[in-house]
Structure formats: structure tokens, C-alpha cells
């Protein structure tokens, strides 16, 4: 679809549709909001009209002003200029990053205390976020970070908001919690504004897109995938226009230089000068996908990277997770997946040599060098280095200063940022610097524990693309599905205190988690219906429960179609690679190969068939989403 050409058509169609029905009602009006910190303008006369039930994803580089705008919306900060106008009936739910938790307090007691709602209602809402009738009686101190986030979500919804503001809700959430949140948002009857660096999360939940950059807002009435396509086409069109302008200017300037001193051409020369002054190029303020990361080369090697036998990981004598024999080949990209609190970080810290195994053993091939990145590598840094000198000290010797400066720029350190003292860096800045320091060690094995938490999604995708070409072996955990999907070719699952190689690919793993989430939701709903002490008089809740089975079937079908779509995309990519290899053979070889010629025709047919299947599945997905 040609997004650039259809962009204004989309807007006009929306207006025609709304003119036939009642105009969509606005509930939040952001008028000429400006905010400056020291010498940096974060918000520059920002205007935005938010309509009820709008599902908006907000994107932008770190420091672009997204969180500042959300805080102004919530009244937590004052703008320098401008105002926010709310409709009388808007009730905003804001996802707090910190809860007023007493570690010894039960979940149900906490929810009833802070919301003043009946216990039956707290249990019912909590169950929608995977907090079942058993976990509702757990102490808060025993919950993982993922389940604590679920408690905060339940607390927010107990205030019965009709518009949600979520600032990086996917940070630090395990896949199970994230899928529960997605399912909830897809069913949610109100509107929401979400800031997130997780592309898959935004693609699944949001229908409209806002980008913040250079103090301004760009609004697009479509999802994030359509927005990026629109950006790319718009950038291409502007570049083409600018090229034509420059060529026209050059032609006019040649005329002026040639006839500048001829009296008979004076009038014509002045006319050309005026034309030159009117010719202006268009600045590209939001370049599409401009992040590229070129990592230092690491030589590829054959054989096994790691072999473990009856490995048990934990602390002291306490076992968190254990495994049988696990063999990992060199060059593997191993995603370590599982719910928060199951032992992913413990496993990574163990194979990084930061923790002693409780029992069993693991061994690397002889001479392997290991680099590790985790929260414990960047917390409480007290070095007197600058950003650049810290990187030089930790990176592999021999890398040129210009190489390191280029890499720092890719990791959002530019200009004078490279001369900052590391002691004054924010937690996010120190995390990015430590991650780069680990990668530039050019180690044979790279162990990364949540490397994407402090990166914008453009940097995340560029990093994943670069790490695919990394010559060494990579073990990693990440809550960013785009990163994991792009990078992982091997999966170690941590579940029920067991470490095991998972037989399927990443997409199959995500699909399985989705199905398990639906099954758990179904079981808990049945329990709530059988054991509810008190029935709610809330008609909306009753309607949601009666439609549950239908929604579950639709979401299950959607998940299957999305999984199938990914498989088709992978097949097309593989077939096209094979086609390119065969064509390259014929270009470079002087001999004819009948088998390769027949295979080329077969591959071309397979590409066409698979692309047709892809289109059919894509149409099916669109029709299913229209039902949600």
C-alpha cells in the first residue's frame, strides 16, 4: 500500500465517515504546550486533540519529551506555556511505576486498602491480569516484578478510568505478563495513550501513532507499521524534490555567472536571481530508520561454545533452576526465556562466572573469552573516567578512537556527551555505556541480561541486526519481542525450576505462551463464576463475562494467523536467499547446471505461491482485528 499517497485520503475518509455519524468527541485538548529545561526545548508549542476511545502509541528517541508531556497531562509538572483542557467526564488512569507496598501485606488487602473497593471486586479485576484466587492471597514481598506490575494494573483499573496513560508499561515485564496486558488492552472499551519502545507491543495494541522529535509532535491516523512506511515514502519524495530543486538552482546559477556582466542580459540575470531566492529545499525533520550500528569484527569459530551437565543454579544451597545436559554450538544466539523470578538472570550470572553453581558443572571450549552485561555491571559506578575514556578502558585494545566515537553516537552519546563524567550519568545512560563496553570487548561469548531496556526501538532493531552478524556466541534475555525475534536461533526455557532447550523457534514459543494465557484466564473465570460470594450489579462487567468465550476464540484465531504469517515471511526470505544464491552461481560459473536451473524455476514458483498465501493470511488478520 502506498502510504504517502493515501495519507491524506485516510484523513478525508475519516472526516467523511464522522460527518455521516456523530463527530467523535474529544476528551483531552493539548493547546500550545511548551516546556524548556535549562537550554533544551523539550516541548515547543505542542498541540494535540485526543478523542474518546482513541488507542494511541507514542514513540520518540530518549529525551524527546514523551515522559514530560505525560507528567504535564497528569498534573505532575507545570508547562512553561499553554494549557490542557479536559472534558468534564474524563477519568484518567495512570500506571504508577512505584506502588505504596508493604512487603508483608497480602495482595487482596493492599488492593482493598488503597482503592476502598469490595474484596470480591478487587479479586475479579485482579484475575483479568493473571492474579488468580491463589496468588491474590500472596504477600507482596513474595511476588516477582512482573506480578507486582500486574497488581499496579489491577489497582489502576479499580478506579474505573475511561482513558489510560501508560509510560513504558512493557519495561521489565516478562512475556506472560506482557501478553496478559495486550489481551486486556485489546478488550478495553476506553482509550489510552501508551509510550513504549516495544514495536510489537504497539503494533498489537494501538491504532494511531504519535512521534515526538525536536519539541514537535507528528500525528498519524494509522498504526506504527503504516507510519514507518509513510515516513519512508515521504522521505523519498522529499529527497527527490530537493534533488530537482538543487538541479534547477545549479542551472540558474550557471546562467547568472555566464551573463552577469552583460548589459543586454541584466534584466534576465535579475529574474534568475529572484527565482534562485525562491527555490527552497524541504528539511527532513523525521528521517526514517536512520540508526546504523557497525560493530567490531569477531572471528567465527567452529565446535561447541558451552556444555553443561546436571547444572543447578541458585544462591548458597538454594536451587533456583536446574538442568540435564545442554550443548550450545559456537555462533548460536541463545534467548533465555521464562517468567520473571524463574531464574533467567541467575543462569546468566552463573555461566558468566559471577555466581558459583549450586551443583553440576558447565564448561566452555578452551581459550574462550567472555563479556557480560547486566544490572550489576553498571550500578554504583564510581570511576573518574569520562564516557569516552571509560569505553577506551573497557573496549578491546586496538580499536580506533573514531570507531568508538561512531559507536557512541549510535548508542545516543553525541557531541559533548562523550566528555561527560560517568559519575553524573543517569541510570539509563550508564546502562547504554556499559552495554557498549561489553560488546566492544569482542569476546567469543557475549552474555547480555536485558540489554534493550534503555534503548529506543530504532536502536534496538539496529543492535539486533548488528548482533546477527556477530562472530561469537550470544546468550541473552530480553523483554523486547522484536529484538528476541530478530536475534534468537536457539531457546533455553526456564520454567518450574527447570532449564531446558526448547524445540521450537521464538514465534512458536510466543504462540504457546499466548495459548497458555488464554487457558489460564478461562480456568480462573470459571472459578470466579462458581465461587463468587457476591454478584456485581455492573452491567458492563456482566456483558464482558458473557462475551468472554467469543473473545477468547477470536484472539486464539488471531494468534494462530499471526504465527502463520511469520512462518510465511520466513519461508519467503529463505526462498529469496536461495534464488539469489542460484543466480549468483550462474553469473560466476561458466558451466551449465541442469539441476540448479530446475531448482531456480521451482523456487520462483514457491515464492509466488507463498506470497499469495501471505496475502490471504494478512487479509484474514485484518478481518479478525475488525471483530475485536
Amino acid at each position: 500500500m502506498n502510504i504517502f499517497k493515501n495519507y491524506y485520503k485516510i484523513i478525508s475518509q475519516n472526516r467523511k465517515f464522522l460527518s455521516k455519524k456523530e463527530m467523535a468527541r474529544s476528551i483531552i485538548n493539548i493547546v500550545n504546550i511548551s516546556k524548556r529545561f535549562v537550554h533544551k526545548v523539550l516541548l515547543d508549542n505542542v498541540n494535540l486533540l485526543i478523542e474518546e476511545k482513541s488507542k494511541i502509541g507514542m514513540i520518540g528517541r530518549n529525551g524527546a519529551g514523551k515522559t514530560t508531556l505525560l507528567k504535564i497531562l497528569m498534573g505532575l509538572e507545570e508547562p512553561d506555556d499553554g494549557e490542557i483542557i479536559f472534558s468534564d467526564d474524563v477519568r484518567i488512569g495512570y500506571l504508577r511505576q512505584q506502588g505504596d507496598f508493604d512487603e508483608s501485606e497480602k495482595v487482596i488487602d493492599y488492593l482493598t486498602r488503597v482503592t476502598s473497593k469490595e474484596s470480591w471486586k478487587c479479586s475479579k479485576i485482579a484475575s483479568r491480569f493473571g492474579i488468580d484466587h491463589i496468588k491474590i492471597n500472596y504477600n507482596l514481598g513474595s511476588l516477582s516484578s512482573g506480578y507486582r506490575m500486574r497488581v499496579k494494573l489491577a489497582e489502576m483499573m479499580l478506579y474505573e478510568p475511561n482513558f489510560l496513560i501508560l509510560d513504558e508499561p512493557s519495561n521489565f515485564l516478562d512475556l506472560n505478563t506482557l501478553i496478559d496486558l495486550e489481551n486486556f488492552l485489546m478488550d478495553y472499551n476506553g482509550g489510552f495513550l501508551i509510550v513504549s519502545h516495544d514495536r510489537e507491543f504497539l503494533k498489537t495494541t494501538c491504532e494511531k501513532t504519535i512521534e515526538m522529535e525536536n519539541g514537535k509532535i507528528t500525528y498519524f491516523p494509522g498504526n506504527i507499521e503504516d507510519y514507518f512506511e509513510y515516513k519512508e515514502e515521504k522521505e523519498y519524495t522529499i529527497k527527490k524534490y530537493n534533488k530537482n530543486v538543487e538541479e534547477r538552482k545549479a542551472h540558474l546559477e550557471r546562467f547568472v555567472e555566464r551573463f552577469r556582466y552583460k548589459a543586454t542580459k541584466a534584466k534576465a540575470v535579475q529574474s534568475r536571481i529572484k527565482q534562485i531566492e525562491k527555490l527552497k529545499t524541504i528539511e527532513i525533520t523525521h528521517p526514517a530508520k536512520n540508526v546504523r550500528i557497525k560493530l567490531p569484527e569477531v572471528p567465527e569459530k567452529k565446535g561447541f561454545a558451552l556444555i553443561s551437565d546436571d547444572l543447578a543454579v541458585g544462591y548458597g544451597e538454594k536451587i533456583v533452576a536446574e538442568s540435564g545436559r545442554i550443548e550450545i554450538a559456537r555462533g548460536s544466539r541463545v534467548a533465555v526465556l521464562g517468567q520473571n523470578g524463574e531464574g533467567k538472570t541467575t543462569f546468566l550470572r552463573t555461566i558468566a562466572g559471577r555466581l558459583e553453581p549450586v551443583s553440576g558443572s558447565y564448561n566452555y571450549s578452551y581459550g574462550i573469552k567472555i563479556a557480560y552485561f547486566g544490572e550489576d555491571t553498571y550500578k554504583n559506578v564510581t570511576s573518574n573516567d569520562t564516557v569516552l575514556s571509560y569505553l577506551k578502558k573497557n573496549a578491546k585494545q586496538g580499536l580506533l578512537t573514531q570507531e568508538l566515537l561512531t559507536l557512541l553516537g549510535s548508542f545516543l552519546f553525541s557531541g559533548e556527551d562523550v566528555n561527560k563524567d560517568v559519575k553524573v550519568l543517569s541510570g539509563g545512560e550508564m546502562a547504554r555505556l556499559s552495554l557498549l563496553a561489553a560488546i566492544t570487548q569482542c569476546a567469543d561469548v557475549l552474555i547480555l541480561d536485558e540489554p534493550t531496556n534503555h534503548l529506543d526501538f530504532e536502536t534496538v532493531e539496529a543492535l539486533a541486526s548488528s548482533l546477527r552478524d556477530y562472530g561469537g556466541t550470544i546468550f541473552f534475555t530480553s523483554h523486547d519481542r522484536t529484538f528476541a525475534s530478530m536475534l534468537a536461533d536457539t531457546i533455553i526455557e526456564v520454567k518450574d525450576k527447570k532449564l531446558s532447550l526448547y524445540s521450537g523457534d521464538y514465534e512458536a514459543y510466543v504462540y504457546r505462551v499466548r495459548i497458555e494465557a488464554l487457558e489460564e484466564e478461562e480456568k480462573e473465570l470459571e472459578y470466579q463464576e462458581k465461587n463468587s460470594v457476591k454478584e456485581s450489579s455492573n452491567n458492563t462487567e456482566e456483558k464482558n463475562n458473557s462475551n468472554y468465550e467469543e473473545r477468547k476464540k477470536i484472539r486464539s484465531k488471531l494468534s494462530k494467523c499471526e504465527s502463520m504469517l511469520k512462518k510465511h515471511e520466513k519461508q519467503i526470505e529463505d526462498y529469496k536467499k536461495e534464488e539469489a544464491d542460484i543466480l549468483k552461481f550462474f553469473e560466476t560459473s561458466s558451466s551449465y547446471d541442469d539441476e540448479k536451473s530446475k531448482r531456480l524455476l521451482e523456487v520462483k514458483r514457491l515464492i509466488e505461491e507463498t506470497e499469495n498465501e501471505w496475502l490471504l493470511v494478512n487479509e484474514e488478520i485484518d478481518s479478525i482485528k475488525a471483530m475485536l
Side-chain angles (χ1 to χ4, degrees):
M1 182 174 64
N2 189 323
I3 296 297
F4 183 63
K5 290 181 180 176
N6 286 299
Y7 173 52
Y8 296 105
K9 190 186 290 184
I10 290 170
I11 296 174
S12 62
Q13 285 173 347
N14 286 345
R15 285 173 177 165
K16 284 180 184 177
F17 176 76
L18 290 173
S19 65
K20 291 178 182 177
K21 300 178 73 176
E22 182 183 355
M23 289 290 286
R25 187 171 64 91
S26 64
I27 56 173
I28 303 174
N29 191 4
I30 299 171
V31 184
N32 297 327
I33 290 293
S34 294
K35 185 70 175 181
R36 176 190 294 271
F37 283 110
V38 193
H39 300 297
K40 183 176 182 179
V41 176
L42 284 180
L43 306 172
D44 183 13
N45 271 345
V46 167
N47 290 276
L48 180 65
L49 198 65
I50 298 177
E51 297 169 343
E52 61 179 344
K53 298 189 179 180
S54 293
K55 301 181 188 305
I56 305 169
M58 181 184 287
I59 62 176
R61 292 287 185 88
N62 290 342
K66 305 183 298 297
T67 297
T68 299
L69 180 60
L70 297 194
K71 286 181 177 179
I72 291 174
L73 276 171
M74 292 306 303
L76 302 176
E77 284 190 16
E78 290 292 325
D80 296 334
D81 292 297
E83 61 178 333
I84 310 285
I85 303 170
F86 298 96
S87 66
D88 292 336
D89 60 342
V90 67
R91 300 184 306 279
I92 294 179
Y94 181 60
L95 183 61
R96 295 190 297 155
Q97 296 300 314
Q98 301 295 329
D100 181 22
F101 288 165
D102 178 346
E103 299 282 309
S104 62
E105 192 172 21
K106 290 182 178 180
V107 174
I108 186 63
D109 294 337
Y110 169 78
L111 291 175
T112 54
R113 174 174 65 82
V114 297
T115 66
S116 300
K117 303 288 185 182
E118 299 94 330
S119 61
W120 69 266
K121 187 161 191 176
C122 291
S123 296
K124 197 169 189 177
I125 296 297
S127 70
R128 295 169 68 181
F129 296 102
I131 304 172
D132 60 23
H133 59 284
I134 298 173
K135 292 187 178 69
I136 197 76
N137 290 302
Y138 281 10
N139 289 342
L140 287 161
S142 67
L143 297 180
S144 67
S145 58
Y147 271 96
R148 289 190 178 208
M149 178 60 77
R150 293 170 189 248
V151 173
K152 294 172 195 172
L153 288 163
E155 176 190 347
M156 178 181 71
M157 292 311 303
L158 281 163
Y159 292 113
E160 300 177 358
N162 54 15
F163 193 84
L164 309 179
I165 293 179
L166 309 179
D167 188 6
E168 295 291 359
S170 58
N171 269 9
F172 307 105
L173 292 189
D174 56 53
L175 183 60
N176 304 63
T177 309
L178 192 58
I179 286 173
D180 280 341
L181 178 56
E182 283 181 352
N183 290 338
F184 166 76
L185 290 172
M186 284 190 286
D187 289 339
Y188 183 57
N189 194 39
F192 48 76
L193 176 62
I194 298 175
V195 170
S196 179
H197 290 148
D198 188 326
R199 185 166 177 163
E200 289 295 319
F201 179 70
L202 292 178
K203 185 169 68 174
T204 303
T205 58
C206 297
E207 298 168 354
K208 301 175 183 179
T209 306
I210 291 171
E211 182 171 26
M212 289 199 65
E213 192 169 12
N214 300 325
K216 299 292 186 182
I217 276 183
T218 299
Y219 170 83
F220 184 79
N223 68 26
I224 190 168
E225 297 297 302
D226 286 347
Y227 176 60
F228 283 133
E229 192 174 340
Y230 157 72
K231 271 181 71 173
E232 287 182 10
E233 184 136 4
K234 181 180 178 183
E235 185 176 332
Y236 170 78
T237 304
I238 291 174
K239 285 180 177 178
K240 189 175 179 181
Y241 171 82
N242 286 347
K243 183 180 178 182
N244 290 335
V245 167
E246 294 295 345
E247 288 175 353
R248 177 67 177 155
K249 282 176 71 174
H251 176 75
L252 292 172
E253 286 167 352
R254 286 196 296 271
F255 181 90
V256 170
E257 287 302 316
R258 183 178 177 186
F259 299 108
R260 181 185 294 275
Y261 301 108
K262 287 196 176 183
T264 57
K265 297 287 187 179
K267 189 173 182 180
V269 167
Q270 288 303 313
S271 174
R272 288 343 185 248
I273 290 173
K274 288 179 180 178
Q275 288 180 48
I276 291 170
E277 291 172 351
K278 290 178 181 179
L279 289 173
K280 303 290 184 185
T281 56
I282 301 172
E283 181 185 0
I284 300 173
T285 54
H286 298 271
K289 296 182 179 178
N290 59 346
V291 178
R292 299 289 183 271
I293 300 175
K294 189 177 186 314
L295 298 178
E297 290 188 7
V298 175
E300 296 183 18
K301 297 177 182 177
K302 302 298 181 182
F304 284 102
L306 178 140
I307 298 176
S308 71
D309 283 300
D310 300 323
L311 178 64
V313 301
Y315 299 89
E317 296 182 356
K318 180 185 177 182
I319 296 175
V320 175
E322 54 189 335
S323 70
R325 185 177 178 88
I326 293 178
E327 298 180 354
I328 301 297
R330 287 199 180 198
S332 298
R333 281 86 175 91
V334 185
V336 182
L337 305 176
Q339 291 194 44
N340 286 352
E342 290 277 5
K344 301 188 300 293
T345 293
T346 307
F347 171 68
L348 290 186
R349 293 190 70 200
T350 300
I351 64 172
R354 303 267 170 150
L355 286 175
E356 289 293 325
V358 177
S359 62
S361 65
Y362 69 92
N363 293 286
Y364 290 102
S365 292
Y366 177 75
I368 275 185
K369 178 184 176 184
I370 299 167
Y372 169 73
F373 166 82
E375 187 177 20
D376 51 324
T377 62
Y378 64 85
K379 290 285 186 180
N380 305 315
V381 173
T382 58
S383 169
N384 291 319
D385 286 300
T386 64
V387 168
L388 180 57
S389 66
Y390 180 88
L391 185 59
K392 283 183 176 180
K393 184 182 291 184
N394 287 276
K396 179 183 178 182
Q397 295 299 309
L399 294 179
L400 300 176
T401 299
Q402 188 54 52
E403 286 183 83
L404 298 179
L405 288 172
T406 300
L407 284 166
L408 282 168
S410 299
F411 278 67
L412 312 180
F413 292 99
S414 58
E416 284 303 309
D417 289 343
V418 302
N419 296 317
K420 276 185 179 179
D421 289 336
V422 295
K423 287 187 290 188
V424 303
L425 296 181
S426 67
E429 288 172 325
M430 195 62 232
R432 295 200 304 273
L433 180 59
S434 296
L435 173 60
L436 186 54
I439 292 171
T440 52
Q441 290 177 38
C442 303
D444 303 294
V445 173
L446 192 55
I447 300 173
L448 307 175
D449 188 7
E450 293 297 345
T452 60
N453 281 338
H454 299 283
L455 302 176
D456 59 58
F457 61 80
E458 288 176 324
T459 308
V460 165
E461 292 179 22
L463 178 61
S465 180
S466 298
L467 288 174
R468 281 189 303 196
D469 298 326
Y470 190 82
T473 306
I474 301 172
F475 292 86
F476 71 95
T477 63
S478 178
H479 293 136
D480 190 298
R481 277 170 299 168
T482 303
F483 182 82
S485 179
M486 288 177 68
L487 189 57
D489 60 25
T490 305
I491 293 171
I492 291 179
E493 183 179 36
V494 191
K495 185 178 182 181
D496 299 330
K497 294 190 174 182
K498 296 292 182 184
L499 285 156
S500 55
L501 282 172
Y502 180 74
S503 58
D505 61 14
Y506 182 76
E507 295 306 323
Y509 181 83
V510 173
Y511 174 70
R512 194 194 76 183
V513 172
R514 282 190 181 281
I515 296 302
E516 288 176 352
L518 291 172
E519 290 172 349
E520 286 298 319
E521 187 179 351
E522 182 180 8
K523 290 177 185 176
E524 182 59 24
L525 183 62
E526 288 175 357
Y527 177 88
Q528 292 283 347
E529 288 174 346
K530 289 178 181 177
N531 297 279
S532 56
V533 180
K534 194 174 180 181
E535 288 296 323
S536 167
S537 60
N538 189 313
N539 291 329
T540 303
E541 288 290 342
E542 290 176 1
K543 184 178 179 182
N544 284 342
N545 288 338
S546 66
N547 291 334
Y548 168 76
E549 285 297 329
E550 183 181 351
R551 293 199 314 271
K552 184 174 77 72
K553 290 176 182 177
I554 292 172
R555 289 202 304 265
S556 178
K557 189 176 181 181
L558 176 63
S559 183
K560 288 178 182 177
C561 286
E562 287 176 338
S563 179
M564 193 180 301
L565 194 72
K566 291 283 188 184
K567 288 181 180 178
H568 286 331
E569 288 170 352
K570 181 69 166 60
Q571 282 182 330
I572 292 169
E573 183 182 342
D574 290 343
Y575 288 144
K576 287 188 174 180
K577 184 179 184 302
E578 185 179 357
E579 180 188 33
D581 290 341
I582 295 173
L583 289 171
K584 187 175 181 181
F585 169 81
F586 283 124
E587 288 173 6
T588 57
S589 176
S590 58
S591 60
Y592 177 75
D593 189 315
D594 186 54
E595 288 298 320
K596 285 190 181 294
S597 181
K598 289 178 181 177
R599 180 57 183 170
L600 180 61
L601 292 174
E602 175 71 6
V603 168
K604 286 180 180 293
R605 182 184 65 78
L606 288 169
I607 289 173
E608 184 177 353
E609 287 181 358
T610 311
E611 285 179 340
N612 287 336
E613 290 171 4
W614 183 92
L615 286 169
L616 290 172
V617 176
N618 208 34
E619 289 172 3
E620 180 71 8
I621 287 173
D622 288 340
S623 64
I624 293 171
K625 285 183 176 179
M627 298 166 65
L628 291 172

